Amino acid sequence: MPRLHIDLKKIEHNARLVSELIEPFGLRLVVVTKACLGDGRVAAAMLSGAVTAGHGVADSRLESIKRVRRRLPGLGEGEVELLRPPLEAASLVPDLVYFVTSAGQAEALLAKRPDKHCRMSLCLQVDTGDGREGVPAGQAAAEAKKITELDGAHFMGIATNLACADPSVPLKEALLLFCSAIAEVRDSTIVSAGGSGLLKLLLELPAGEAASLFGPLTELRCGEAILLGRIPAGEKPELFLPGAHRDAFILEATILEIFNKGGRRQALVDVGVQDIGGGSLAPLQEGIKPVSATSDYLVVALEGTAGVGHLSFIPDYYALLGAMTSPFVDKIYKGKMV
């Protein structure tokens, strides 16, 4: 059975690096637990590294939110954000900030409240070029006004997601577009931007220019840079957070067979698409090269004498998501347990 080794101390270390990077800009860190299926121990490690004033947790799945809160019952109102909420999530009204994409979606959620006297905290998602979700930036002010007028709505502010579905979107231009929407939407307690790709701007821009771009924000949502030390930027070579651990998660798989096939020495290991989804694996050992994956197996080419017993890999973001989701991958934790 494949094993995913999870080093909680390394995750905490990475979170601290991100937190220290954004602290000079007055941003609070909201850790995103989507790739770890809302794992409470991982979420606790992420939050342990947050040195900014205030913190939060965000996820897009209701079950993952419940899992985080079971492990961390002390998270209070406004500290848990549900991205793209399903209608059944309205039962959690008192505790969450709901990220909605329209007044229509907000109205549908409000109608499902079990307690009609309870107000629902709502944050409007704005599309700034990523093309995945959110009201177009030019319509944000009008949509926000509609939400504020809904009975039972507590309008919290606006949010955006940058360069996730489309990594080619220029980050600076997208953030400038979001800033224009911020200026038109009044009374925003939360001004939230994600995700890890924004760290690229903080690392590369002069301090004054970065302060101007990030000044209107109140928080940064971040997952990948904390979990994997990687800054997604749609570029090769890959960008990594300076000083971060890249091996907080290591996927260990067992070699099932080794033969010479097709003119090369290759191994079959017990991890497949059902365990890593559409993600990729970077071998830790020399002389190992993944060749192909089927539903339940991975074929790797071996050089020299490489390949005895087990092979270890660092998963990318999507492979991590798959491994955390797969019931066929054993999770082994190292470090502080909360």
Side-chain angles (χ1 to χ4, degrees), residues 258-274:
I258 298 178
F259 289 108
N260 290 318
K261 296 182 180 181
R264 71 179 176 215
R265 184 168 171 263
Q266 69 177 42
L268 187 71
V269 297
D270 64 343
V271 64
V273 174
Q274 64 185 353

Side-chain angles (χ1 to χ4, degrees), residues 35-84:
C36 60
L37 207 64
D39 184 286
R41 282 165 286 194
V42 174
M46 296 171 86
L47 289 174
S48 292
V51 297
T52 54
H55 54 67
V57 177
D59 207 292
S60 60
R61 303 290 173 152
L62 185 56
E63 287 304 317
S64 292
I65 288 289
K66 291 178 179 178
R67 193 173 292 114
V68 168
R69 300 202 64 210
R70 282 195 295 269
R71 172 66 64 166
L72 302 170
L75 288 171
E77 186 172 357
E79 292 181 330
V80 183
E81 299 173 349
L82 180 55
L83 315 174
R84 298 175 293 282

Side-chain angles (χ1 to χ4, degrees), residues 9 13 16 59 65 87 89 103 120 144 150 160 178 226 238 246 252 261 291 309 329 338:
K9 279 294 187 182
H13 170 83
R16 184 168 292 107
D59 207 292
I65 288 289
L87 289 180
M120 176 178 281
L150 294 174
T160 193
F178 187 47
I226 297 174
E238 293 180 311
R246 305 177 191 178
E252 183 184 27
K261 296 182 180 181
V291 175
V329 176
V338 180

Side-chain angles (χ1 to χ4, degrees), residues 9 27 49 55-56 65 114 118 122 145 216 246 248 271 298 303 325:
K9 279 294 187 182
L27 302 176
H55 54 67
I65 288 289
C118 184
L122 300 164
K145 185 175 185 297
R246 305 177 191 178
V271 64
L298 176 70
E303 296 179 1
T325 303

Side-chain angles (χ1 to χ4, degrees), residues 1-325:
M1 186 177 190
R3 293 162 296 281
L4 184 65
H5 297 270
I6 304 169
D7 193 316
L8 300 174
K9 279 294 187 182
K10 290 182 177 180
I11 294 169
E12 181 180 357
H13 170 83
N14 289 354
R16 184 168 292 107
L17 290 179
V18 173
S19 189
E20 291 172 347
L21 182 60
I22 69 175
E23 185 181 27
F25 301 94
L27 302 176
R28 78 164 185 160
L29 176 61
V30 175
V31 302
V32 179
T33 58
K34 292 188 294 184
C36 60
L37 207 64
D39 184 286
R41 282 165 286 194
V42 174
M46 296 171 86
L47 289 174
S48 292
V51 297
T52 54
H55 54 67
V57 177
D59 207 292
S60 60
R61 303 290 173 152
L62 185 56
E63 287 304 317
S64 292
I65 288 289
K66 291 178 179 178
R67 193 173 292 114
V68 168
R69 300 202 64 210
R70 282 195 295 269
R71 172 66 64 166
L72 302 170
L75 288 171
E77 186 172 357
E79 292 181 330
V80 183
E81 299 173 349
L82 180 55
L83 315 174
R84 298 175 293 282
L87 289 180
E88 60 267 25
S91 62
L92 297 176
V93 166
D95 305 302
L96 304 182
V97 178
Y98 295 80
F99 281 43
V100 298
T101 60
S102 69
Q105 184 187 18
E107 189 172 18
L109 281 167
L110 288 165
K112 291 286 186 179
R113 287 173 299 162
D115 181 359
K116 302 306 179 185
H117 299 290
C118 184
R119 299 179 76 198
M120 176 178 281
S121 298
L122 300 164
C123 192
L124 178 65
Q125 278 279 96
V126 180
D127 183 9
T128 51
D130 189 53
R132 189 175 69 178
E133 85 267 51
V135 61
Q139 302 174 31
E143 203 69 20
K145 185 175 185 297
K146 293 178 185 177
I147 293 175
T148 62
E149 295 171 349
L150 294 174
D151 183 37
H154 179 204
F155 181 71
M156 297 293 291
I158 61 175
T160 193
N161 192 74
L162 292 90
C164 183
D166 185 359
S168 67
V169 174
L171 287 171
K172 183 178 176 180
E173 286 76 1
L175 194 51
L176 284 169
L177 181 60
F178 187 47
C179 288
S180 68
I182 295 168
E184 295 179 2
V185 177
R186 298 179 179 179
D187 302 321
S188 293
T189 303
I190 292 176
V191 182
S192 178
S196 294
L198 282 169
L199 299 178
K200 179 176 185 288
L201 289 180
L202 288 178
L203 290 170
E204 295 181 352
L205 291 178
E209 188 175 0
S212 176
L213 278 174
F214 287 85
L217 308 181
T218 64
E219 66 181 39
L220 178 69
R221 307 189 312 276
C222 185
E224 186 168 355
I226 297 174
L227 299 173
L228 298 173
R230 182 177 179 272
I231 300 175
E235 300 176 355
K236 295 291 182 180
E238 293 180 311
L239 297 178
F240 294 96
L241 181 66
H245 293 290
R246 305 177 191 178
D247 59 350
F249 295 84
I250 295 177
L251 183 61
E252 183 184 27
T254 301
I255 295 176
L256 302 176
E257 65 171 47
I258 298 178
F259 289 108
N260 290 318
K261 296 182 180 181
R264 71 179 176 215
R265 184 168 171 263
Q266 69 177 42
L268 187 71
V269 297
D270 64 343
V271 64
V273 174
Q274 64 185 353
D275 307 306
I276 61 170
S280 61
L281 301 173
L284 282 178
Q285 294 101 327
E286 295 291 333
I288 306 295
K289 181 181 179 180
V291 175
S292 64
T294 55
S295 60
D296 48 357
Y297 299 118
L298 176 70
V299 174
V300 298
L302 306 176
E303 296 179 1
T305 59
V308 178
H310 299 88
L311 299 179
S312 296
F313 305 88
I314 295 177
D316 70 0
Y317 187 80
Y318 293 112
L320 173 60
L321 174 64
M324 289 297 298
T325 303

